[in-house]
Amino acid sequence: MKEMTYSEAIRLAMTEEMRKDENIFIIGEDIGIYGGTFGVTKGMIDEFGEERIKDAPISEAAIVGAAAGAAVTGMRPIVELPFLDFITIGMDALVNQAAKMRYMFGGNEKVPMVVRLPGGSGTGAAAQHSQNLEAWFCHVPGLKVVAPSTPNDAKGLLKSSIRDDNPVVFIESKLLYNTTGMVEEDPEFTIPLGKADIKLEGSDISLITYGRMLKKALIVAKELAKENIYIEVIDLRTLAPLDKDTIIQSVKKTGRAIIVHEAVKTGGFGGEIVATIAESDAFDFLKAPIIRIAGVDIPIPHNKELEKAAVPSEKDIKAGIYRLLNK
Amino acid sequence: MDISKDILLEIYDRMVTTRFFSERINEFFIKGIMHGTTHLSVGEEASGVASCMALDKGDYTTSTHRGHSHAIGRGMEVIKIMAELFGKVTGCSKGKGGSMHLADFDKGHLGSNGVVGGGFAIATGAALTQKMKDTGKIVLCFFGDGASNEGSFHESLNMASVWKLPVIFFCENNLYGVSTPVSKSMNIKDVAVRAKSYGIPSYIIDGNDAVEVYKTTREAAKYCRSGQGPVIIEAKTYRYLGHSKSDECEYRCAEEVNRWKKKDPIIIFKNYLIENNIANQIEIKRIEDKALKEIDLAVEFAKNSPNPPLNALTEDVYA
């Protein structure tokens, strides 16, 4: 294990896979010498050249669509968009084309591509550069959706995503890029898609989260342990396919569930987790209603204090937990 | 450029097969015995078929919602196309795609597309593969006049031109986007002039002349294969039938339709074959009879094929 940032872990995952398989290339805006909007691909052009670290025109529809076209003809493209928000321009290519090609052509084709999207707020870039739209992608059968929260998960999950034969939407939380953690160095280390990870075991409450909110959840859980409240923190890591089993088993054990995500509450992925619990036999174990702590239903504002108030804070999470315990 | 007799007769064969196929499908929809919808290419057989015939084995195509001529033009098995329209498990897409989703990846046909403009970027990406792997193969991207007003047209042509990708962007300009005439949807008469914005060559041709379509596509393919980048071909043509099964064609007059019918691509090509002593009436008749029989057999095959089993519902969502 070696300490590195989330950003370095993503770069390492791509570098290792590209060394192994010459069909992999990266296509995106300003990913070459510039190194990408958040510097994730910095330096990769030196090793792989501009043919495989492909700076594209500012054309998200063509970038995502070309990736699909390359994928069905033998390549394994990785798309990097500057901001998750810009996928709206490439949505036809992703939703109507890449996600559908296998099914609507009778299962004859594979579409191995990864679309890396830096998401989330916290940079002051306001409403068009800060969204968390993962629920949209989860609503499209044919797509896989991954949202890692630690450098090690980012590396292992990205490698699995690159090796997967389906279109994978890989959501990177931009506020995590500079966070550090211990990362497996073995080039054959991967983390399978569709497996949640229990980041902290506990007996009183199941806290289900993913992405940037994991850190806040763990801080809250550690604080509350001092009050003898033991929270089990589940990091979903992959949203589609969803590891329902881990969620259900945990809720059966604790009898209480709280879901925390950065995305806005209405229509958010948290609703799907609530339904997963409510439709399962874990329902009979519930001692209290399920609670969602999520983003406020607004576009992200620019002002720093307003921006902070738009997403769940540690205080919000703690308040939710007290509510769950009738405290 | 001389075209061999074999190729000319094969073009004729696939053109009449497309015509008979389309007419039969139209009949099924009128009788109400076919599920879904369809967009027929009657009147556009030369542009759709002769262009495909000008490609080499291993070349790729992307197609549109009006894609039967392209599927047949690429040599896809008619029985599988017919079975697909019947929604049968023996169809090319196992009955899950229908009229707008015909593909045969082994033959390089990357599929027709239900989204207007959906194929531009896919074709561009397929061409990127050819360039990166240095295969010497090219991609032909069919699109209509209406699709050239989509953003993906501009994005893809710009990308393909700056990367010098081997794509022929082949416009079948049938003068209408559903009901809206070209004159009401763009400030120019010819789609091909848009090539200038991307610094690429273009051709405007009579899309009802199979020989011209074939020769121009061969020439454009040679240009693409030489690594010089993409090309636009605009083939002027006309669809005799409505946009889709439910179109009464109230937006155009009978006189216009009749004027185009006098320039029927199949009759023009048949006359060419006879006048140039490439085929006689007997040979022509033999091809037509064979094509008709093929359609009859395809209908029989499709009708007798089983529906997909219900457990196929959730199959093939993921690889």
Side-chain angles (χ1 to χ4, degrees):
Chain A
M1 301 279 273
K2 188 184 167 191
E3 188 173 32
M4 64 181 80
T5 64
Y6 186 86
S7 179
E8 286 165 344
I10 291 168
R11 187 184 310 135
L12 182 59
M14 293 192 289
T15 301
E16 285 175 0
E17 293 304 297
M18 286 179 74
R19 280 177 189 154
K20 260 183 41 182
D21 184 349
E22 61 179 22
N23 291 322
I24 302 168
F25 69 100
I26 313 179
I27 178 169
E29 294 161 23
D30 308 296
I31 58 171
I33 293 167
Y34 192 77
T37 308
F38 294 96
V40 179
T41 55
K42 194 89 188 163
M44 288 185 77
I45 195 165
D46 298 333
E47 178 170 353
F48 299 106
E50 60 180 24
E51 279 304 302
R52 294 180 71 195
I53 308 294
K54 224 161 171 47
D55 271 330
I58 304 170
S59 304
E60 292 81 11
I63 291 170
V64 181
V72 295
T73 48
M75 306 300 285
R76 305 186 77 86
I78 301 170
V79 171
E80 176 182 307
L81 293 191
F83 292 88
L84 180 146
D85 313 65
F86 303 170
I87 191 64
T88 50
I89 298 151
M91 276 305 249
D92 172 64
L94 184 67
V95 174
N96 291 326
Q97 311 298 336
K100 303 291 191 286
M101 282 169 109
R102 182 170 178 79
Y103 190 85
M104 77 183 177
F105 294 136
N108 292 316
E109 216 28 62
K110 291 173 181 166
V111 192
M113 61 186 273
V114 180
V115 181
R116 293 180 35 242
L117 303 173
S121 64
T123 63
Q128 299 169 332
H129 289 73
S130 304
Q131 293 171 89
N132 295 280
L133 301 174
E134 62 273 14
W136 288 9
F137 310 121
C138 294
H139 202 58
V140 180
L143 296 180
K144 293 188 177 181
V145 183
V146 181
S149 61
T150 69
N152 199 48
D153 285 352
K155 186 188 177 205
L157 289 166
L158 182 53
K159 287 170 74 86
S160 293
S161 300
I162 294 168
R163 294 179 191 187
D164 201 276
D165 282 331
N166 299 284
V168 179
V169 178
F170 194 85
I171 299 174
E172 299 166 8
S173 183
K174 58 180 86 107
L175 285 199
L176 293 178
Y177 279 136
N178 290 325
T179 59
T180 54
M182 298 305 286
V183 173
E184 287 283 352
E185 287 176 278
D186 177 5
E188 278 315 303
F189 161 76
T190 59
I191 295 171
L193 303 187
K195 290 293 282 180
D197 184 34
I198 297 175
K199 289 284 197 293
L200 183 71
E201 288 199 26
S203 52
D204 298 332
I205 288 177
S206 301
L207 188 154
I208 302 139
T209 191
Y210 55 91
R212 170 156 90 95
M213 289 296 128
L214 175 77
K215 272 199 164 19
K216 293 187 183 186
L218 286 173
I219 291 168
V220 171
K222 274 165 200 163
E223 282 176 17
L224 290 178
K226 293 176 200 154
E227 300 173 25
N228 294 323
I229 299 168
Y230 298 104
I231 298 169
E232 178 143 294
V233 178
I234 299 171
D235 180 3
L236 292 177
R237 302 197 292 195
T238 305
L239 307 184
L242 179 63
D243 183 357
K244 294 182 178 180
D245 202 44
T246 296
I247 299 170
I248 291 165
Q249 292 312 318
S250 175
V251 175
K252 280 164 85 169
K253 181 175 79 176
T254 63
R256 292 185 182 87
I258 182 167
I259 297 135
V260 182
H261 62 57
E262 185 183 343
V264 301
K265 194 179 205 175
T266 303
F269 195 69
E272 190 59 36
I273 304 167
V274 173
T276 298
I277 297 166
E279 287 177 342
S280 76
D281 57 349
F283 181 78
D284 297 326
F285 292 78
L286 287 176
K287 300 169 193 160
I290 307 166
I291 284 178
R292 283 180 294 165
I293 303 294
V296 184
D297 288 329
I298 50 163
I300 295 295
H302 161 66
N303 174 275
K304 202 170 183 178
E305 293 311 311
L306 292 182
E307 184 185 31
K308 232 188 251 173
V311 301
S313 64
E314 286 155 32
K315 207 175 133 195
D316 295 331
I317 298 170
K318 212 182 254 185
I321 288 166
Y322 286 142
R323 198 144 50 93
L324 204 50
L325 293 166
N326 279 325
K327 283 192 176 179
Chain B
M1 183 196 302
D2 285 333
I3 314 173
S4 75
K5 179 177 175 175
D6 284 353
I7 285 175
L8 287 166
L9 295 188
E10 187 62 31
I11 293 172
Y12 189 72
D13 186 339
R14 292 184 191 184
M15 279 173 66
V16 291
T17 301
T18 302
R19 174 69 58 94
F20 295 150
F21 180 89
S22 308
E23 287 174 344
R24 196 67 61 91
I25 297 298
N26 195 38
E27 197 182 302
F28 291 149
F29 273 102
I30 288 167
K31 285 183 183 161
I33 58 169
M34 194 164 256
H35 183 57
T37 191
T38 196
H39 308 83
L40 300 169
S41 327
V42 182
E44 301 185 20
E45 292 88 352
S47 63
V49 170
S51 51
C52 287
M53 285 293 298
L55 299 176
D56 288 349
K57 200 167 175 236
D59 287 341
Y60 290 93
T61 33
T62 62
S63 165
T64 69
H65 57 286
R66 197 175 308 288
H68 302 162
S69 59
H70 312 145
I72 294 169
R74 283 317 306 272
M76 279 177 65
E77 288 171 79
V78 175
I79 52 168
K80 288 189 177 175
I81 304 172
M82 186 65 82
E84 187 56 38
L85 269 78
F86 272 87
K88 298 300 179 73
V89 73
T90 50
C92 57
S93 303
K94 295 186 191 153
K96 287 176 172 175
S99 174
M100 284 188 280
H101 303 300
L102 308 172
D104 186 337
F105 286 75
D106 293 335
K107 287 199 161 75
H109 192 49
L110 301 177
S112 37
N113 207 309
V115 177
V116 171
F120 291 124
I122 293 169
T124 300
L128 179 59
T129 300
Q130 307 321 310
K131 185 162 185 181
M132 288 182 81
K133 289 181 177 273
D134 197 17
T135 62
K137 301 301 177 191
I138 67 160
V139 183
L140 187 145
C141 170
F142 284 108
F143 66 104
D145 41 282
S148 74
N149 299 323
E150 292 278 5
S152 62
F153 171 83
H154 175 76
E155 290 197 12
S156 301
L157 268 88
N158 180 63
M159 184 181 275
S161 65
V162 73
W163 289 347
K164 300 212 179 308
L165 301 180
V167 200
I168 299 172
F169 291 101
F170 193 103
C171 179
E172 291 177 289
N173 183 345
N174 64 16
L175 310 183
Y176 291 88
V178 188
S179 70
T180 308
V182 167
S183 62
K184 285 188 180 172
S185 56
M186 54 180 90
N187 196 34
I188 46 173
K189 209 166 119 264
D190 302 313
V191 170
V193 303
R194 293 185 164 169
K196 277 191 187 154
S197 332
Y198 314 107
I200 62 171
S202 67
Y203 302 84
I204 297 175
I205 59 171
D206 177 355
N208 283 13
D209 180 344
V211 176
E212 190 177 351
V213 170
Y214 181 88
K215 285 183 173 172
T216 310
T217 311
R218 285 299 291 179
E219 195 179 308
K222 198 175 159 194
Y223 177 88
C224 289
R225 254 183 258 284
S226 71
Q228 296 181 81
V231 174
I232 293 181
I233 298 175
E234 178 180 6
K236 305 280 193 189
T237 184
Y238 197 77
R239 61 169 154 78
Y240 297 167
L241 301 171
H243 161 71
S244 66
K245 64 164 186 178
S246 50
D247 180 3
E248 307 277 341
C249 290
E250 287 165 323
Y251 48 85
R252 61 186 197 187
C253 60
E255 191 213 331
E256 182 182 282
V257 181
N258 288 332
R259 201 164 60 236
W260 276 93
K261 281 186 175 171
K262 284 184 189 131
K263 295 198 286 181
D264 184 85
I266 290 177
I267 293 171
I268 291 173
F269 192 39
K270 187 196 295 194
N271 291 341
Y272 171 89
L273 294 174
I274 290 167
E275 282 162 20
N276 290 280
N277 295 319
I278 295 158
N280 57 35
Q281 292 284 7
I282 298 165
E283 283 171 291
I284 294 285
K285 179 86 172 33
R286 200 181 297 138
I287 291 170
E288 290 171 356
D289 288 347
K290 186 186 132 255
L292 260 183
K293 195 164 176 215
E294 195 180 2
I295 301 299
D296 288 339
L297 287 173
V299 172
E300 202 182 312
F301 172 80
K303 283 185 172 169
N304 292 332
S305 288
N307 284 311
L310 276 180
N311 65 15
L313 182 69
T314 53
E315 280 175 1
D316 296 327
V317 179
Y318 293 97

